[in-house]
């Protein structure tokens, strides 16, 4: 009887220990489902990554090395936050990393998304403050667009972001390129594959466009805020896997 009570107490104690471990987020070991569940991504300590000058690369980058099986899926950060979160969830489910070029005014409305992007292990960068035609602006206005978004990124993450992409244009004029460098961005990030998802052609058309043009080293232009993009992403990631290509951050692609 005493031995039976002792075993009962030991089992109860083990149950309490397990409950305590789950409540505090401690990892457990074993072979059950909990042992294989994806662990939560830790919040990055300190400031987010900052821009880096990459020797040997041009001021305006359209693609990475063609010799490695990697590509960068880059998203213009604007639109319905639910769509943004759905895209992030899909990418992470497939163990893919993406790059988000955020619009400053969008971050004003949804500041929590800056950390959500970083916590998923993705790149976060600058896509101007109001998403206007930055190439068509005066020097003062263009610089304000770049620094306006940079200031918001710094306030939210401790960094101006890793990349700058001009708004409403695939490439920057020499003036905008120079202003971006003055603001702290050594390179302007362009792309060599335009998904045209912003035209809402339907998910199959988005997938076909990317599949027809993507190759090792490609940088793909996509957008948050479009249902076609959400619907197309699983098929795009499956096509990459079929070709032996891995979706990585732009930083990983280029370094």
């Amino acid at each position: 009887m005493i031995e039976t009570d002792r075993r009962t107490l030991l089992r109860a104690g083990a149950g309490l220990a397990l409950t305590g471990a789950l409540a505090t987020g401690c990892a457990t070991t074993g072979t059950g489902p909990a042992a294989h569940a994806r662990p939560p991504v830790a919040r990055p300590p300190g400031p987010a990554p900052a821009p880096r000058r990459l020797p040997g690369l041009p001021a305006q980058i359209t693609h990475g090395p063609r010799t490695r099986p990697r590509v960068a899926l880059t998203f213009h950060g604007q639109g319905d936050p639910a769509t943004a979160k759905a895209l992030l969830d899909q990418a992470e489910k497939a163990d893919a990393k993406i790059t988000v070029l955020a619009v400053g005014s969008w971050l004003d409305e949804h500041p929590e998304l800056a950390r959500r992007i970083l916590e998923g292990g993705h790149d976060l960068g600058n896509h101007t403050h109001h998403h206007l035609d930055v190439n068509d602006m005066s020097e003062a206005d263009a610089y304000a667009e770049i620094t306006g978004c940079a200031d918001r990124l710094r306030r939210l993450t401790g960094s101006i972001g890793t990349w700058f992409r001009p708004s409403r244009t695939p490439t920057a004029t020499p003036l905008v390129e120079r202003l971006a460098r003055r603001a702290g961005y050594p390179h302007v990030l362009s792309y060599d594959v335009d998904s045209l998802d912003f035209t809402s052609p339907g998910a199959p058309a988005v997938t076909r466009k990317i599949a027809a043009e993507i190759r090792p080293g490609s940088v793909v232009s996509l957008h948050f805020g479009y249902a076609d993009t959400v619907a197309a992403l699983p098929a795009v990631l499956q096509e990459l896997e079929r070709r032996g290509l891995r979706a990585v951050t732009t930083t990983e692609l280029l370094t």
Side-chain angles (χ1 to χ4, degrees):
M1 180 67 176
I2 293 173
E3 183 60 29
T4 301
D5 290 344
R6 181 174 176 272
R7 286 197 298 268
T8 301
L9 288 171
L10 286 172
R11 284 196 297 268
L16 288 172
L18 177 59
T19 302
L22 293 173
T24 57
C26 296
T28 60
T29 59
T31 57
H36 299 286
R38 183 186 297 272
V41 179
R43 175 171 297 217
R52 286 190 284 169
R53 188 177 70 83
L54 302 174
L57 292 184
Q60 297 206 51
I61 297 170
T62 57
H63 64 81
R66 299 298 192 187
T67 56
R68 291 183 290 182
R70 302 173 181 174
V71 298
L73 303 180
T74 67
F75 290 78
H76 301 226
Q78 196 177 24
D80 183 358
T83 303
K85 291 172 184 175
L87 285 164
L88 291 166
D89 289 345
Q90 284 184 358
E92 289 158 17
K93 184 178 179 181
D95 200 26
K97 303 301 179 187
I98 66 174
T99 299
V100 180
L101 292 314
V103 174
S105 57
W106 183 70
L107 291 176
D108 283 343
E109 296 175 5
H110 312 290
E112 74 285 354
L113 284 174
R115 276 295 173 186
R116 169 65 184 86
I117 292 162
L118 292 172
E119 286 169 359
H122 311 291
D123 270 0
L124 178 63
N126 180 331
H127 196 39
T128 74
H129 184 51
H130 292 105
H131 201 255
L132 303 173
D133 187 349
V134 70
N135 280 349
D136 200 37
M137 292 181 172
S138 68
E139 179 173 344
D141 288 346
Y143 190 62
E145 278 294 306
I146 298 169
T147 56
C149 184
D151 290 344
R152 279 148 183 82
L153 286 166
R154 184 186 292 109
R155 185 182 70 242
L156 292 170
T157 71
S159 164
I160 63 172
T162 46
W163 303 100
F164 167 72
R165 173 172 288 169
S167 47
R168 298 192 179 273
T169 176
T171 58
T173 61
L175 171 62
V176 171
E177 181 186 310
R178 188 166 65 252
L179 296 175
R181 192 160 53 247
R182 187 200 305 173
Y185 302 96
H187 302 278
V188 171
L189 181 62
S190 185
Y191 45 87
D192 65 325
V193 178
D194 189 347
S195 70
L196 298 180
D197 59 343
F198 62 91
T199 64
S200 297
V206 173
T207 304
R208 285 195 302 271
K209 181 73 162 57
I210 295 172
E213 299 178 15
I214 201 166
R215 55 193 179 119
S218 282
V219 176
V220 185
S221 172
L222 294 143
H223 294 74
F224 282 174
Y226 291 89
D228 288 349
T229 313
V230 179
L233 187 59
V236 169
L237 293 172
Q238 287 174 7
E239 179 64 17
L240 294 181
E241 184 177 10
R242 187 184 72 79
R243 297 189 190 189
L245 298 173
R246 188 160 61 95
V248 299
T249 64
T250 303
T251 299
E252 184 175 352
L253 179 74
L254 297 173
T255 57

Short mmCIF file of all heavy atoms in Angstrom, two decimals, residues 57-66 72 74 165 170-171 187-193 217-221 250 253-254:
data_model
loop_
_atom_site.label_atom_id
_atom_site.label_comp_id
_atom_site.label_asym_id
_atom_site.label_seq_id
_atom_site.Cartn_x
_atom_site.Cartn_y
_atom_site.Cartn_z
N LEU A 57 29.59 44.25 -55.67
CA LEU A 57 28.23 44.32 -56.19
C LEU A 57 27.90 45.75 -56.62
O LEU A 57 28.39 46.71 -56.03
CB LEU A 57 27.23 43.85 -55.14
CG LEU A 57 27.29 42.36 -54.79
CD1 LEU A 57 26.18 42.00 -53.81
CD2 LEU A 57 27.19 41.48 -56.04
N PRO A 58 27.06 45.91 -57.64
CA PRO A 58 26.74 47.25 -58.13
C PRO A 58 25.88 48.02 -57.15
O PRO A 58 25.30 47.44 -56.21
CB PRO A 58 25.98 46.97 -59.43
CG PRO A 58 25.39 45.61 -59.22
CD PRO A 58 26.38 44.85 -58.41
N ALA A 59 25.76 49.32 -57.37
CA ALA A 59 24.92 50.16 -56.51
C ALA A 59 23.46 49.73 -56.60
O ALA A 59 22.73 49.80 -55.62
CB ALA A 59 25.08 51.63 -56.89
N GLN A 60 23.03 49.32 -57.79
CA GLN A 60 21.67 48.81 -57.97
C GLN A 60 21.75 47.32 -58.29
O GLN A 60 22.35 46.92 -59.28
CB GLN A 60 20.94 49.56 -59.09
CG GLN A 60 20.76 51.04 -58.78
CD GLN A 60 19.57 51.65 -59.50
OE1 GLN A 60 18.46 51.12 -59.43
NE2 GLN A 60 19.79 52.77 -60.15
N ILE A 61 21.12 46.52 -57.44
CA ILE A 61 21.21 45.07 -57.53
C ILE A 61 19.91 44.52 -58.11
O ILE A 61 18.82 44.82 -57.61
CB ILE A 61 21.47 44.46 -56.15
CG1 ILE A 61 22.83 44.94 -55.61
CG2 ILE A 61 21.41 42.94 -56.20
CD1 ILE A 61 23.07 44.57 -54.16
N THR A 62 20.03 43.70 -59.16
CA THR A 62 18.84 43.08 -59.74
C THR A 62 18.77 41.58 -59.47
O THR A 62 17.68 41.00 -59.52
CB THR A 62 18.80 43.30 -61.27
OG1 THR A 62 20.00 42.79 -61.85
CG2 THR A 62 18.68 44.79 -61.59
N HIS A 63 19.90 40.96 -59.19
CA HIS A 63 19.88 39.52 -58.91
C HIS A 63 21.16 39.14 -58.17
O HIS A 63 22.11 39.92 -58.08
CB HIS A 63 19.74 38.71 -60.20
CG HIS A 63 20.89 38.86 -61.14
ND1 HIS A 63 22.09 38.18 -61.01
CD2 HIS A 63 21.04 39.65 -62.24
CE1 HIS A 63 22.90 38.51 -61.97
NE2 HIS A 63 22.31 39.42 -62.74
N GLY A 64 21.16 37.93 -57.65
CA GLY A 64 22.31 37.40 -56.95
C GLY A 64 23.10 36.45 -57.82
O GLY A 64 22.88 36.36 -59.03
N PRO A 65 24.03 35.69 -57.22
CA PRO A 65 24.87 34.75 -57.98
C PRO A 65 24.02 33.70 -58.70
O PRO A 65 23.10 33.14 -58.12
CB PRO A 65 25.75 34.11 -56.92
CG PRO A 65 25.72 35.05 -55.76
CD PRO A 65 24.39 35.70 -55.79
N ARG A 66 24.37 33.44 -59.95
CA ARG A 66 23.64 32.44 -60.73
C ARG A 66 24.18 31.02 -60.49
O ARG A 66 23.65 30.06 -61.05
CB ARG A 66 23.77 32.76 -62.22
CG ARG A 66 23.19 34.11 -62.63
CD ARG A 66 21.71 34.21 -62.36
NE ARG A 66 21.12 35.40 -63.01
CZ ARG A 66 19.86 35.78 -62.81
NH1 ARG A 66 19.06 35.10 -62.00
NH2 ARG A 66 19.40 36.86 -63.42
N ALA A 72 15.49 34.98 -54.04
CA ALA A 72 14.90 35.86 -53.03
C ALA A 72 13.50 36.27 -53.47
O ALA A 72 13.34 36.84 -54.56
CB ALA A 72 15.78 37.09 -52.81
N THR A 74 10.80 38.84 -52.76
CA THR A 74 10.73 40.14 -52.10
C THR A 74 9.32 40.70 -52.23
O THR A 74 8.72 40.66 -53.31
CB THR A 74 11.75 41.12 -52.70
OG1 THR A 74 11.40 41.43 -54.05
CG2 THR A 74 13.15 40.53 -52.67
N ARG A 165 14.30 49.89 -51.54
CA ARG A 165 13.76 49.73 -52.90
C ARG A 165 12.93 50.96 -53.24
O ARG A 165 12.03 51.34 -52.47
CB ARG A 165 12.90 48.48 -53.03
CG ARG A 165 12.18 48.37 -54.39
CD ARG A 165 11.50 47.03 -54.56
NE ARG A 165 12.49 45.98 -54.79
CZ ARG A 165 12.21 44.68 -54.76
NH1 ARG A 165 10.98 44.28 -54.49
NH2 ARG A 165 13.16 43.79 -54.97
N PRO A 170 11.08 50.03 -60.94
CA PRO A 170 12.01 48.93 -60.64
C PRO A 170 13.43 49.41 -60.34
O PRO A 170 14.18 48.73 -59.63
CB PRO A 170 11.98 48.08 -61.91
CG PRO A 170 11.54 49.00 -63.00
CD PRO A 170 10.63 50.00 -62.35
N THR A 171 13.81 50.56 -60.88
CA THR A 171 15.17 51.06 -60.67
C THR A 171 15.13 52.53 -60.27
O THR A 171 14.20 53.26 -60.61
CB THR A 171 16.02 50.91 -61.94
OG1 THR A 171 15.39 51.62 -63.03
CG2 THR A 171 16.21 49.45 -62.32
N HIS A 187 23.21 50.10 -51.24
CA HIS A 187 22.70 49.51 -52.47
C HIS A 187 21.20 49.76 -52.60
O HIS A 187 20.48 49.87 -51.61
CB HIS A 187 22.94 47.99 -52.49
CG HIS A 187 24.36 47.60 -52.34
ND1 HIS A 187 25.26 47.59 -53.38
CD2 HIS A 187 25.07 47.21 -51.23
CE1 HIS A 187 26.44 47.20 -52.95
NE2 HIS A 187 26.35 46.97 -51.65
N VAL A 188 20.75 49.85 -53.84
CA VAL A 188 19.32 49.89 -54.16
C VAL A 188 18.93 48.50 -54.64
O VAL A 188 19.62 47.92 -55.50
CB VAL A 188 19.03 50.94 -55.26
CG1 VAL A 188 17.58 50.82 -55.75
CG2 VAL A 188 19.30 52.34 -54.74
N LEU A 189 17.86 47.96 -54.10
CA LEU A 189 17.44 46.60 -54.45
C LEU A 189 16.36 46.63 -55.52
O LEU A 189 15.25 47.10 -55.29
CB LEU A 189 16.93 45.87 -53.21
CG LEU A 189 16.47 44.42 -53.43
CD1 LEU A 189 17.63 43.55 -53.92
CD2 LEU A 189 15.87 43.85 -52.15
N SER A 190 16.70 46.13 -56.69
CA SER A 190 15.73 45.98 -57.77
C SER A 190 15.33 44.51 -57.88
O SER A 190 15.33 43.79 -56.88
CB SER A 190 16.33 46.52 -59.08
OG SER A 190 15.35 46.49 -60.11
N TYR A 191 15.03 44.03 -59.08
CA TYR A 191 14.64 42.62 -59.26
C TYR A 191 14.76 42.27 -60.73
O TYR A 191 14.80 43.14 -61.62
CB TYR A 191 13.22 42.38 -58.76
CG TYR A 191 12.21 43.42 -59.19
CD1 TYR A 191 11.54 43.31 -60.41
CD2 TYR A 191 11.92 44.52 -58.39
CE1 TYR A 191 10.62 44.27 -60.82
CE2 TYR A 191 11.00 45.48 -58.78
CZ TYR A 191 10.36 45.35 -59.99
OH TYR A 191 9.45 46.30 -60.40
N ASP A 192 14.81 40.96 -61.00
CA ASP A 192 14.85 40.49 -62.38
C ASP A 192 13.62 39.70 -62.77
O ASP A 192 13.46 39.32 -63.93
CB ASP A 192 16.12 39.66 -62.64
CG ASP A 192 16.16 38.37 -61.84
OD1 ASP A 192 15.67 38.36 -60.69
OD2 ASP A 192 16.70 37.37 -62.35
N VAL A 193 12.72 39.44 -61.82
CA VAL A 193 11.46 38.75 -62.11
C VAL A 193 10.32 39.55 -61.51
O VAL A 193 10.28 39.76 -60.29
CB VAL A 193 11.44 37.31 -61.54
CG1 VAL A 193 10.09 36.65 -61.83
CG2 VAL A 193 12.57 36.48 -62.12
N GLY A 217 19.59 32.63 -58.32
CA GLY A 217 20.00 34.00 -58.09
C GLY A 217 18.92 35.04 -58.31
O GLY A 217 19.14 36.23 -58.02
N SER A 218 17.75 34.64 -58.78
CA SER A 218 16.71 35.62 -59.10
C SER A 218 16.20 36.34 -57.86
O SER A 218 16.13 35.78 -56.76
CB SER A 218 15.53 34.94 -59.80
OG SER A 218 15.81 34.69 -61.15
N VAL A 219 15.81 37.60 -58.07
CA VAL A 219 15.09 38.39 -57.07
C VAL A 219 13.71 38.65 -57.65
O VAL A 219 13.58 39.26 -58.73
CB VAL A 219 15.81 39.72 -56.78
CG1 VAL A 219 14.99 40.57 -55.80
CG2 VAL A 219 17.20 39.47 -56.22
N VAL A 220 12.67 38.19 -56.97
CA VAL A 220 11.30 38.24 -57.48
C VAL A 220 10.53 39.35 -56.78
O VAL A 220 10.61 39.50 -55.56
CB VAL A 220 10.59 36.90 -57.25
CG1 VAL A 220 9.20 36.91 -57.88
CG2 VAL A 220 11.41 35.74 -57.80
N SER A 221 9.81 40.15 -57.56
CA SER A 221 8.97 41.21 -57.01
C SER A 221 7.55 40.70 -56.80
O SER A 221 6.89 40.25 -57.75
CB SER A 221 8.96 42.41 -57.96
OG SER A 221 8.00 43.37 -57.54
N THR A 250 17.19 38.22 -48.95
CA THR A 250 18.11 38.86 -49.88
C THR A 250 19.52 38.93 -49.31
O THR A 250 20.51 38.75 -50.04
CB THR A 250 17.61 40.27 -50.23
OG1 THR A 250 16.28 40.18 -50.76
CG2 THR A 250 18.50 40.94 -51.25
N LEU A 253 21.00 35.60 -49.91
CA LEU A 253 21.24 35.42 -51.33
C LEU A 253 22.54 36.08 -51.78
O LEU A 253 23.30 35.51 -52.57
CB LEU A 253 20.08 36.01 -52.13
CG LEU A 253 20.19 35.93 -53.66
CD1 LEU A 253 19.95 34.51 -54.13
CD2 LEU A 253 19.21 36.91 -54.32
N LEU A 254 22.81 37.26 -51.25
CA LEU A 254 23.93 38.06 -51.75
C LEU A 254 25.21 37.88 -50.93
O LEU A 254 26.26 38.36 -51.34
CB LEU A 254 23.53 39.53 -51.76
CG LEU A 254 22.37 39.87 -52.70
CD1 LEU A 254 21.93 41.32 -52.51
CD2 LEU A 254 22.73 39.60 -54.14
#
